[in-house]
Amino acid sequence: FCISQVMCAQSFSAGCHYWEVITKGSDGWAVGVAHEMIAKRDKLGRTEHPWYVEWLGPKKQLSAWHRDQETLLHKDTPLKVGVFLKLQKKTGSFYSITDEEMLLHTLEINTSNPLYPAFWLYSL
């Protein structure tokens, strides 16, 4: 990518997958999945292919992104984000992880392409 985004080398095509990202102390971030069709100059969540939750903006708000559409989540920033993919059900769920899990948002994922965990670190 041409900006501070990364995509993992491992992809997922089937099954259920879960991972967590520590976001504590970051000025802005995005956590989610994308497939390999995203161009190196594309911003995650601002195209058809990625699905993300991000913490950013002048008001520091939490939102979900897909197809350049923002959904405000009206929740506090999580210190740790859990991502749970259920590929047979075509969903991706995002959780705030503290002592307990709190669902932040669930997105429908309509693609047959392999998905890659991806991250955008704004403070770099």
Side-chain angles (χ1 to χ4, degrees):
F1 291 106
C2 295
I3 58 175
S4 56
Q5 301 176 142
V6 295
M7 244 172 42
C8 294
Q10 181 181 0
S11 67
F12 305 117
S13 297
C16 294
H17 305 276
Y18 179 81
W19 63 94
E20 294 178 351
V21 178
I22 297 171
T23 56
K24 180 180 178 182
S26 177
D27 290 336
W29 48 264
V31 175
V33 295
H35 59 69
E36 62 191 350
M37 294 184 69
I38 189 168
K40 71 178 189 172
R41 294 195 182 276
D42 288 344
K43 290 182 180 177
L44 299 175
R46 306 316 193 266
T47 67
E48 182 178 340
H49 307 299
W51 297 264
Y52 280 84
V53 167
E54 78 172 20
W55 175 258
L56 185 68
K59 295 181 181 179
K60 293 294 185 190
Q61 57 197 18
L62 190 67
S63 26
W65 284 88
H66 177 56
R67 293 186 181 195
D68 204 17
Q69 297 292 313
E70 180 180 27
T71 303
L72 294 177
L73 301 181
H74 304 291
K75 304 201 191 268
D76 292 332
T77 182
L79 301 177
K80 188 187 300 184
V81 175
V83 181
F84 187 34
L85 292 181
K86 294 180 185 177
L87 294 174
Q88 281 76 6
K89 294 189 179 216
K90 298 184 181 271
T91 62
S93 297
F94 300 88
Y95 294 88
S96 176
I97 308 298
T98 53
D99 294 334
E100 297 180 12
E101 296 177 355
M102 180 181 71
L103 180 65
L104 297 171
H105 194 65
T106 297
L107 293 167
E108 185 178 339
I109 298 177
N110 282 324
T111 184
S112 57
N113 293 324
L115 295 174
Y116 297 81
F119 313 91
W120 188 357
L121 307 171
Y122 299 110
S123 55
L124 294 178

